[in-house]
């Protein structure tokens, strides 16, 4: 996605301009920052970086959001008060943070400026005393002229030079801003008071006047006041601190105290101004950003936040479009509707905030004090919701309810862990620091790694975004990676933790095994191995280049082909299943019996494994090709033989379930970078006593036919009827699955030939995956077919199977596969 050959000039070193520089450089674009002043410094006092801007900044993977939380104060409450200081409504913002996936932080504008400037890099080219006067488009770029006679050339020009932008004037003509009809006072001061709790954001609403106090941490507060007046008077406010103090006399005591504590020279009086929204911002190689494009009144607090959004979307658009002009127009198309909404919404809210009409004030205050809390939260959250980068792809915004399939996986996982694990061998100089870089970038790339599931005591589970948290990483100094697997399959994910964790096992100097564990709620075999590849790719990148977010798709069922969607699709699916089910029953299938009863909540998965490699593996693949039988069908036949040996009934038919990975069968096919579990099972009666090749060939033909009819998708139509109301109501479901479910003997096959053998400085080998079982069955055999080996990882529920039975089953299965491809005779010696 990087475009290192592009170059850009950013005019204006405010919040939007600095964010644009950081984002453009992150995307590999050469940038020159031009500032008309003699130095780079922040103007103004305080502001809030809200959840939408924090989420936008996270996509840059520069740690800006974490730095802002260090220098500012996290917003924890939002309180509406009357002038006398009595509360109309106090809102805890923690639920809003959870819903939006990021906190808001109040801080000094200077601190925000410094953090953004640091993110731009120490080698940034800056042109000071560079007052832009205009631009000229050239054949292949744009030239900017400055008041002192200088000129600069680049591929694109971004006008981030504020409400009185010279770049905007040339594009759209010079007109004065539109007045908001009120004056604003701003200041920042060390201050504490019992009425101001840590993390408080307090708004006092009066008649044509308001006052705001924000705790910005470190013993400081940012405060502001407003008063309705004429635009002319607001633009030329003639009065000082004593006048301001007198105007708020009679209001709550802390307001007078904070004004008194502020030096007069630190109080800034500004007019409220905006401009009518534009229907287009730029042309050719030129565009606008922030206040140059869409100045707005302060009522929604979105001026700086929307500029940050602009900058991130602009860099993404330029990075993902080879043609610079196309990238600029895509950026404008994505941003104009949202910023128009914010400009209009700020003006509408400003009229309500600043009204002097007593009847309107009564209605306003009644809604604040007594209105529906959920609606009020929604009103607060709407402008603070990050709309994303604007990719024209199917996106499921979070929060959202779990789909039927996701809910089944979540329910099973709540009863007993249902995990999916990958392991890859990495040879070379790999340490935990590099893995941490990769994991952090992976979390920024995938919204589902910044999400948790919340439910109402097991009902109505929903995905909710959370703030960025490190993916847990465990280091094991030496040992065998298989010793870690029972722990990974057994240990639950902590509440509120990311749904992925990692283990780095050092096997020998410069030899490591990277283990990743997730849950079927968000990952299948394809996903978990893709995560491993992406972690190493991002670690090799060493935090350079653009890490664009991969949107979270909707639930799998929403992407099904049309015949399998909705109530009608479910009905047709169940009809297909009934016909196939009757045929399967005539084969009188036999199930393995459990070694002992095991309570659902105590069903933990253990692992036993074997590997077929070398000449035997090559011979097995060759035999499969020559006979035209797929390798998974051969393994299924061998699994049935192992079941017959275990049960002492070699002539019986054993139902073997094979997982079908169906990403490519969706309405919009998904590649392996998309999170989610896209697999479903088809179970077939499989004779244990017939010749293995005959069994495998018959299984292969029947299985192929059923996959062609999408029986696996039809099977998922019954999941809604199987899923208990809550995890606590799972006993009957477990009884049904134990008696008739497809998880008695099942396997998942994945071809890993395409997994890279080298990533950055490291050699990579032995990619494989393992699966837990939970309440869904007895065992899952995961089969990884790589270029040099066939891995057979048998995950089984301890108790339902003893370790001795599991080992014997796998040994019999392995021997059966060996028998199909005898080891070649050793070469004769003379």
């Amino acid at each position: 996605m990087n475009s290192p050959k592009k170059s850009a000039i950013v005019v204006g070193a405010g919040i939007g301009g600095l964010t644009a520089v950081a984002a453009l450089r992150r995307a590999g674009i050469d940038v020159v920052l031009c500032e008309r002043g003699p130095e780079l410094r922040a103007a103004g006092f305080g502001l809030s970086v809200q959840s939408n801007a924090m989420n936008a900044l996270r996509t840059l993977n520069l740690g800006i959001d974490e730095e802002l939380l260090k220098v500012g104060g996290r917003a924890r409450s939002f309180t509406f008060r009357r002038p006398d200081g009595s509360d109309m409504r106090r809102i805890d913002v923690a639920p809003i943070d959870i819903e939006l996936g990021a906190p808001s932080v109040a801080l000094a504008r200077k601190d925000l400026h410094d953090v953004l400037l640091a993110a731009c890099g120490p080698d940034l080219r800056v042109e000071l005393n560079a007052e832009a006067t205009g631009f000229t488009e050239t054949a292949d770029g744009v030239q900017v002229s400055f008041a002192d006679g200088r000129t600069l050339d680049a591929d694109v020009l971004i006008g981030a030079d504020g409400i009185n932008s010279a770049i905007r004037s040339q594009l759209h003509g010079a007109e004065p801003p539109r007045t908001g009809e009120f004056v604003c006072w701003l200041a920042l001061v060390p201050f504490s008071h019992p009425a101001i709790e840590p993390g408080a954001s307090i708004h006092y609403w009066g008649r044509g006047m308001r006052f705001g106090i924000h705790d910005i941490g470190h013993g400081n507060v940012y405060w502001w006041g407003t008063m309705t007046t004429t635009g002319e008077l607001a633009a030329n406010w003639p009065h000082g601190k004593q006048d301001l103090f007198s105007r708020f006399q009679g209001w709550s005591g802390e307001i007078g105290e904070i004004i008194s504590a502020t030096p007069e020279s630190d109080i800034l009086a500004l007019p409220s101004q905006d401009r009518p929204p534009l229907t287009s911002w730029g042309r050719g190689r030129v565009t606008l950003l922030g206040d140059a494009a869409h100045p707005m009144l302060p009522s929604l607090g979105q001026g700086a936040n929307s500029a940050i959004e602009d900058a991130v979307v602009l860099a993404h658009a330029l990075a993902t479009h080879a043609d610079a002009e196309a990238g600029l127009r895509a950026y404008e198309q994505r941003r104009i509707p949202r910023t128009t909404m914010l400009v209009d919404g700020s003006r509408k809210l400003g009229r309500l905030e600043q009204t002097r009409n007593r009847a309107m004030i009564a209605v306003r205050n009644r809604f604040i004090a007594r209105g529906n809390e959920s609606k009020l939260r929604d009103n607060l959250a709407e402008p603070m919701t990050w709309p994303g980068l604007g990719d024209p792809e199917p996106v499921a915004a979070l929060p959202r309810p779990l789909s039927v399939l996701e809910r089944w996986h979540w329910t099973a996982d709540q009863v007993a862990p249902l995990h999916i694990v990958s392991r890859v061998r990495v040879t070379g100089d790999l340490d935990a620091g590099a893995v941490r870089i990769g994991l952090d970038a992976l979390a920024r790339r995938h919204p589902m790694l910044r999400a948790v599931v919340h439910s109402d005591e097991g009902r109505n589970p929903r995905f909710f975004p959370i703030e960025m948290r490190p993916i847990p990483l465990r280091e094991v100094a030496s040992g065998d990676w298989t010793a870690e697997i029972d722990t990974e399959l057994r240990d639950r994910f902590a509440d509120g933790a990311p749904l992925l964790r990692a283990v780095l096992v050092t096997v020998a100097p410069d030899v490591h095994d990277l283990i990743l564990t997730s849950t079927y709620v968000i990952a299948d075999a394809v996903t978990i191995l893709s995560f491993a590849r992406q972690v190493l790719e991002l670690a090799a990148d060493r935090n350079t280049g653009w890490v664009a977010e991969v949107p979270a798709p909707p639930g799998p069922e929403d992407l099904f082909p049309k015949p399998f969607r909705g109530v009608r699709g479910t009905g047709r699916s169940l009809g297909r299943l009934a016909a196939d089910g009757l045929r399967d029953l005539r084969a009188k299938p036999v199930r393995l019996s459990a070694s002992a009863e095991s309570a659902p909540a105590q069903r933990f998965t253990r692992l036993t494994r074997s590997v077929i490699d070398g000449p035997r593996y090559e011979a097995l693949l060759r035999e499969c090709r020559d006979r035209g039988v797929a390798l998974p069908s051969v393994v299924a036949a061998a699994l049935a033989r192992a079941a017959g040996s275990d049960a002492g009934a070699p002539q019986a038919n054993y139902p073997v379930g094979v997982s079908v990975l169906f990403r490519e069968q969706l309405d919009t096919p998904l590649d392996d970078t998309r999170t989610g579990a896209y697999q479903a099972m088809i179970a077939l009666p499989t004779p244990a006593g017939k010749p293995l090749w005959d069994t495998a060939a018959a299984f292969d033909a029947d299985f192929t036919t059923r996959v062609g009819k999408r029986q696996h998708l039809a099977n998922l139509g019954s999941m809604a009827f199987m899923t208990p109301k809550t995890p606590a109501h799972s006993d009957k479901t477990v009884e049904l699955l134990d008696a008739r479910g497809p998880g008695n003997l099942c396997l998942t096959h994945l071809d890993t030939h395409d997994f890279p053998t080298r990533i950055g400085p490291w050699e990579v080998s032995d990619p494989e995956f393992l699966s837990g079982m939970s309440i869904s069955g007895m065992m899952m055999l995961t089969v990884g077919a790589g270029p040099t080996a066939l891995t057979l990882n048998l995950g089984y529920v301890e108790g339902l199977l003893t370790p001795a039975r599991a080992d014997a089953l796998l040994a019999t299965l392995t021997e059966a596969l060996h028998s199909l491809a005898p080891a070649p005779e050793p070469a004769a010696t003379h």
Side-chain angles (χ1 to χ4, degrees):
M1 300 179 84
N2 296 340
S3 301
K5 294 183 180 180
K6 289 194 183 81
S7 61
I9 296 170
V10 175
V11 175
I15 300 306
L18 287 176
T19 309
V21 170
L24 290 166
R25 300 195 81 197
R26 190 79 175 95
I29 297 172
D30 294 329
V31 185
V32 178
L33 175 63
C34 301
E35 166 57 34
R36 66 183 177 183
E39 59 181 330
L40 295 180
R41 62 183 181 85
F45 290 88
L47 75 166
S48 292
V49 179
Q50 297 182 359
S51 299
N52 52 309
M54 294 287 273
N55 277 318
L57 290 168
R58 284 176 179 171
T59 69
L60 301 180
N61 196 25
L62 291 171
I64 297 172
D65 53 317
E66 290 97 335
E67 290 301 313
L68 296 183
L69 286 167
K70 293 177 184 177
V71 299
R74 179 169 178 162
R76 302 187 182 280
S77 63
F78 191 97
T79 304
F80 295 95
R81 287 180 179 166
R82 301 175 183 87
D84 64 6
S86 59
D87 286 357
M88 287 191 284
R89 177 75 65 98
R90 181 189 182 281
I91 297 174
D92 180 5
V93 302
I96 298 177
D97 290 352
I98 292 173
E99 180 178 340
L100 300 181
S104 296
V105 57
L107 74 168
R109 186 175 289 265
K110 178 186 180 300
D111 290 335
L112 173 58
H113 182 277
D114 290 347
V115 170
L116 291 174
L117 184 58
C120 293
D123 59 341
L124 172 65
R125 180 182 171 186
V126 179
E127 295 288 330
L128 297 173
N129 295 304
E131 182 181 353
T133 56
F135 63 86
T136 303
E137 294 185 75
T138 63
D140 57 356
V142 62
Q143 183 177 84
V144 186
S145 301
F146 299 94
D148 61 3
R150 276 179 288 175
T151 61
L152 288 174
D153 295 273
D155 293 325
V156 296
L157 167 64
I158 295 100
D161 45 343
I163 191 169
N164 295 309
S165 164
I167 308 302
R168 177 185 175 121
S169 294
Q170 183 170 338
L171 288 166
H172 300 287
E175 290 189 2
R178 179 173 60 174
T179 179
E181 303 291 340
F182 58 95
V183 65
C184 304
W185 297 279
L186 310 172
L188 188 152
V189 65
F191 188 77
S192 64
H193 193 281
I196 308 171
E197 62 185 12
S201 177
I202 307 169
H203 288 200
Y204 303 78
W205 287 35
R207 180 171 178 250
M209 296 176 65
R210 294 184 305 125
F211 200 89
I213 300 174
H214 304 266
D215 173 40
I216 65 171
H218 312 288
N220 295 313
V221 298
Y222 158 55
W223 65 264
W224 51 264
T226 64
M227 189 184 76
T228 299
T229 186
T230 65
E232 181 179 1
L233 187 57
N236 300 279
W237 189 253
H239 307 297
K241 173 179 171 178
Q242 187 56 43
D243 174 81
L244 175 62
F245 183 86
S246 66
R247 291 181 186 276
F248 284 96
Q249 199 163 19
W251 288 49
S252 188
E254 63 272 15
I255 294 176
E257 291 181 37
I258 201 169
I259 294 173
S260 296
T262 308
E264 184 158 9
S265 60
D266 288 352
I267 301 174
L268 181 67
L270 293 174
S272 60
Q273 297 177 326
D274 68 358
R275 290 185 184 275
L278 296 168
T279 57
S280 65
W281 288 351
R283 65 170 182 261
R285 302 286 188 114
V286 183
T287 194
L288 302 173
L289 183 147
D291 282 351
H294 49 75
M296 59 189 69
L297 300 182
S299 301
L300 288 173
Q302 282 294 321
N305 291 282
S306 59
I308 289 170
E309 287 185 356
D310 287 349
V312 173
V313 174
L314 169 66
H316 179 258
L318 285 174
T320 53
H321 287 77
D323 180 75
E325 291 190 33
L328 295 182
R329 300 296 85 76
Y331 151 70
E332 293 168 358
Q333 290 168 12
R334 293 170 184 176
R335 294 299 298 157
I336 287 174
R338 174 163 168 81
T339 55
T340 297
M341 180 269 289
L342 293 174
V343 171
D344 291 343
S346 295
R347 178 159 282 268
K348 181 178 178 181
L349 180 58
R351 286 196 295 266
L352 183 64
E353 291 172 334
Q354 296 299 136
T355 183
R356 294 181 57 80
N357 183 291
R358 296 185 187 277
M360 286 185 64
I361 291 170
V363 172
R364 178 193 74 186
N365 291 0
R366 190 180 303 116
F367 172 74
I368 293 173
R370 303 177 185 176
N372 180 274
E373 176 122 351
S374 176
K375 186 174 182 180
L376 191 57
R377 287 185 193 274
D378 289 345
N379 288 344
L380 290 173
E382 182 181 10
M384 296 165 57
T385 301
W386 163 234
L389 294 167
D391 301 84
E393 304 177 46
V395 177
L398 301 180
R400 70 165 173 85
L402 272 63
S403 75
V404 171
L405 180 57
E406 291 166 338
R407 181 169 179 175
W408 163 252
H409 288 141
W410 174 79
T411 301
D413 190 52
Q414 294 300 293
V415 179
L418 180 58
H419 296 166
I420 182 81
V421 181
S422 66
R423 169 257 179 173
V424 294
R425 171 65 54 86
V426 184
T427 303
D429 184 14
L430 178 69
D431 59 23
V435 175
R436 169 53 56 204
I437 288 173
L439 290 171
D440 288 348
L442 187 76
R444 295 179 189 281
R445 174 176 283 177
H446 294 288
M448 284 303 191
L449 298 182
R450 308 189 306 273
V452 295
V453 179
H454 288 297
S455 70
D456 180 14
E457 296 183 349
R459 291 178 170 82
N460 305 315
R462 294 170 63 84
F463 285 116
F464 279 91
I466 58 174
E467 63 185 85
M468 180 76 178
R469 298 177 189 177
I471 292 172
L473 171 61
R474 214 165 32 93
E475 291 184 75
V476 178
S478 62
D480 179 359
W481 67 273
T482 60
E484 306 302 320
I485 295 303
D486 287 347
T487 298
E488 290 305 304
L489 291 175
R490 185 186 188 98
D491 286 359
R492 299 178 182 277
F493 286 88
D495 289 343
L499 298 177
L500 182 72
R501 58 180 182 244
V503 183
L504 182 64
V505 181
T506 298
V507 181
D510 289 340
V511 180
H512 311 271
D513 285 310
L514 177 63
I515 301 169
L516 297 183
T517 303
S518 188
T519 163
Y520 275 98
V521 179
I522 68 162
D524 57 16
V526 173
T527 308
I528 197 68
L529 272 172
S530 175
F531 280 164
R533 190 198 75 243
Q534 292 177 67
V535 166
L536 292 172
E537 289 172 344
L538 293 165
D541 187 51
R542 283 284 174 176
N543 219 19
T544 60
W546 182 274
V547 181
E549 184 174 280
V550 176
E557 298 90 333
D558 292 333
L559 301 175
F560 278 5
K562 188 174 181 180
F564 296 90
R565 291 203 303 262
V567 176
R568 186 173 298 178
T570 299
R572 284 195 295 262
S573 297
L574 294 177
R576 293 190 188 99
L577 292 177
D580 288 330
L582 287 174
R583 188 182 70 174
D584 292 344
L585 286 174
R586 287 195 290 271
K588 298 180 180 179
V590 176
R591 299 169 63 82
L592 284 191
S593 60
S595 296
E597 291 187 5
S598 179
Q602 298 301 313
R603 296 192 176 186
F604 301 110
T605 305
R606 290 193 61 179
L607 171 70
T608 185
R609 71 191 300 270
S610 67
V611 177
I612 299 175
D613 56 10
R616 280 191 183 276
Y617 180 49
E618 294 172 5
L620 180 60
L621 292 178
R622 186 167 54 251
E623 286 289 329
C624 288
R625 287 194 299 268
D626 292 347
R627 294 174 181 268
V629 180
L631 180 59
S633 298
V634 176
V635 178
L639 183 58
R641 173 167 291 190
S645 175
D646 174 87
Q651 302 305 315
N653 286 316
Y654 294 90
V656 175
V658 178
S659 293
V660 182
L661 299 164
F662 56 79
R663 288 170 184 258
E664 296 180 356
Q665 299 167 5
L666 300 171
D667 251 4
T668 302
L670 301 179
D671 63 24
D672 69 350
T673 64
R674 293 310 186 96
T675 54
Y678 304 94
Q679 65 183 61
M681 191 168 290
I682 295 176
L684 302 178
T686 309
K690 293 183 178 180
L692 273 175
W693 280 117
D694 292 348
T695 300
F699 186 99
D700 195 54
D702 195 3
F703 183 76
T704 301
T705 298
R706 297 194 192 201
V707 170
K709 295 191 298 183
R710 304 294 190 257
Q711 188 191 84
H712 50 293
L713 298 182
N715 286 339
L716 294 179
S718 64
M719 294 299 294
F721 303 100
M722 291 177 52
T723 305
K725 291 181 180 179
T726 73
H729 294 83
S730 62
D731 287 353
K732 291 185 178 179
T733 299
V734 175
E735 290 176 12
L736 176 64
L737 290 171
D738 285 349
R740 299 174 57 187
N744 192 250
L745 291 169
C746 55
L747 67 91
T748 300
H749 172 274
L750 189 64
D751 189 324
T752 60
H753 278 74
D754 292 337
F755 201 88
T757 57
R758 188 167 193 88
I759 298 176
W762 306 297
E763 293 181 9
V764 182
S765 61
D766 305 332
E768 54 187 289
F769 68 104
L770 312 95
S771 176
M773 281 305 293
S774 184
I775 61 172
S776 48
M778 179 181 288
M779 68 175 72
M780 169 66 81
L781 178 70
T782 60
V783 183
T788 61
L790 183 73
T791 57
L792 303 165
N793 290 313
L794 182 64
Y796 64 94
V797 176
E798 187 177 16
L800 299 184
L801 280 181
T802 64
R805 280 184 71 189
D807 290 344
L809 272 164
L810 188 60
T812 304
L813 184 153
T814 305
E815 290 169 7
L817 293 175
H818 283 169
S819 73
L820 297 178
E825 294 292 332
T829 58
H830 299 283

